[in-house]
Amino acid sequence: MSDECRHEDCKKVNDLLSEFLDEELKGAVLLELKEHIEKCPDCHLNVDSVRKVIRLYRDATECDCPVDIQIRLKDVIRRAREEETGR
Amino acid sequence: MDPSDDTTLVQQAKAGDEAAFAELVERHQGRVYHHALRLMGSAEDAEEVLQDTFLQVFRNLDRFEERSRFSTWIYRIATNEALMRLRKARRKREVFLEDAFARDGEHAVEQIRDFARSALDDVADTEIRAALDAALAELPEEYRVVFTMRDIDGLTNAEVAEVLEISVPAVKSRLHRSRLYLRDRLSRTFRDSSGADVRSEGRHSG
Ligand SMILES: [Zn+2]
């Protein structure tokens, strides 16, 4: 399907995609959207790929601080503490 | 103790307990560092942000009123430190912004289809990570910061709004555009890196 023949509803899905993924939609809007996504391959794809991107970022994220940086941070805090108690 | 609950540690640290403060640093340094790294793009700058953030936490802890979560408070400090530096560096990205987002809703469906289906199994982890970082770095900072806090660090819309002092609808709109941009960008990247297919011109379109 080319871009020109994208339906109004597809545009709506594109606009509300984030709120849909974040489960912020309710009632008739949600129902309507869900129905359309189920029968429209383009929208299915649109939703899936964005979901995938979010998951990729979440999974690839490291949360450890390099050790040398941790050591220097401790140092900085220790010096600040000394300055404060030295006064 | 519930590790997500810093309340006790905060109270102990406020009372001058050095070990409690050290534990708070231990708990949050990794997230603050990577948050700063994603915003700043360089390890050196990120370390500066990290250090200044915890210095501020140290100096202002008695002023933290515990109306919000401790982690939200730290994020606000770290984000402000990072944004202040970025503004000083005055990177002009407005042109890019309009350019990149002008294509909203005109996705190359083929590319996205390939991307959504691929398991990315044959792409090395380091390669994926580099592509993710590169795509994120292209976003203007006011978008990057929202995507980072919301989708990577897991803050809520309300918390991000509080940290950045913008409205919740503004958070949602920036998040949405960031996600679409990153998806389009990564679809292109991974299609281009998926080997021989890309080079063959025997494909007919439409
Ligand atoms: Zn559709």
Side-chain angles (χ1 to χ4, degrees):
Chain A
M1 195 189 292
S2 77
D3 282 342
E4 297 100 276
C5 48
R6 287 186 119 208
H7 199 267
E8 251 333 275
D9 287 347
C10 299
K11 282 234 181 304
K12 199 168 171 186
V13 170
N14 196 59
D15 289 344
L16 295 175
L17 186 103
S18 279
E19 284 171 285
F20 176 73
L21 286 174
D22 294 337
E23 294 173 2
E24 288 165 2
L25 298 176
K26 289 186 188 87
V29 184
L30 176 63
L31 218 66
E32 212 179 288
L33 219 69
K34 257 188 176 163
E35 253 173 48
H36 177 83
I37 292 170
E38 260 163 44
K39 61 182 191 216
C40 174
D42 278 359
C43 284
H44 201 94
L45 193 69
N46 200 358
V47 172
D48 259 7
S49 60
V50 171
R51 187 185 283 128
K52 183 170 185 176
V53 164
I54 298 169
R55 199 173 305 140
L56 273 176
Y57 273 98
R58 216 164 268 169
D59 292 350
T61 297
E62 291 175 86
C63 44
D64 286 338
C65 203
V67 177
D68 52 330
I69 289 179
Q70 290 188 33
I71 293 169
R72 287 196 289 270
L73 177 60
K74 271 199 184 113
D75 252 25
V76 166
I77 293 167
R78 187 178 44 77
R79 260 180 277 136
R81 200 181 283 286
E82 282 168 7
E83 262 174 49
E84 202 166 70
T85 51
R87 249 181 264 155
Chain B
M1 200 195 321
D2 177 3
S4 66
D5 183 19
D6 297 316
T7 316
T8 313
L9 283 173
V10 168
Q11 280 159 3
Q12 289 167 340
K14 272 183 172 179
D17 185 337
E18 289 186 24
F21 188 82
E23 174 65 22
L24 286 172
V25 174
E26 189 83 24
R27 279 184 182 192
H28 295 282
Q29 60 186 2
R31 297 219 305 173
V32 169
Y33 175 72
H34 286 282
H35 176 64
L37 188 59
R38 281 186 292 268
L39 294 180
M40 303 302 297
S42 103
E44 220 173 288
D45 292 342
E47 183 172 0
E48 262 187 42
V49 169
L50 174 75
Q51 292 181 352
D52 287 352
T53 298
F54 278 104
L55 279 178
Q56 283 215 47
V57 170
F58 175 70
R59 291 186 182 127
N60 298 310
L61 189 61
D62 47 347
R63 263 175 270 169
F64 169 57
E65 289 171 9
E66 295 171 58
R67 273 186 308 224
S68 47
R69 285 198 290 163
F70 180 69
S71 54
T72 312
W73 185 60
I74 291 196
Y75 267 103
R76 187 186 307 145
I77 296 173
T79 305
N80 286 341
E81 284 287 336
L83 291 181
M84 198 182 66
R85 282 172 170 75
L86 288 169
R87 273 169 207 145
K88 268 189 201 157
R90 276 262 164 248
R91 287 185 204 164
K92 274 277 170 199
R93 285 162 174 268
E94 283 82 0
V95 180
F96 162 82
L97 210 169
E98 291 187 358
D99 218 44
F101 292 142
R103 294 191 301 268
D104 255 14
E106 306 174 15
H107 321 293
V109 175
E110 277 300 324
Q111 283 178 9
I112 294 168
R113 182 167 290 132
D114 290 351
F115 173 66
R117 284 194 188 139
S118 77
L120 296 176
D121 284 343
D122 34 356
V123 186
D125 268 5
T126 48
E127 207 178 311
I128 294 178
R129 186 163 291 171
L132 295 178
D133 288 348
L136 188 59
E138 284 177 7
L139 279 175
E141 66 225 30
E142 57 270 43
Y143 288 80
R144 192 165 66 231
V145 69
V146 169
F147 180 81
T148 297
M149 287 197 282
R150 200 47 191 73
D151 278 347
I152 304 180
D153 300 327
L155 273 71
T156 64
N157 286 331
E159 285 169 336
V160 177
E162 191 192 331
V163 170
L164 297 178
E165 294 176 345
I166 58 177
S167 68
V168 168
V171 170
K172 285 163 76 167
S173 137
R174 288 185 199 181
L175 179 68
H176 182 56
R177 298 180 95 189
S178 301
R179 286 170 170 177
L180 291 181
Y181 177 78
L182 292 172
R183 189 272 312 274
D184 290 355
R185 190 73 193 80
L186 292 169
S187 302
R188 252 179 292 148
T189 305
F190 287 121
R191 199 177 78 139
D192 292 347
S193 69
S194 66
D197 279 343
V198 183
R199 287 175 156 259
S200 77
E201 287 175 36
R203 259 171 149 193
H204 296 283
S205 54

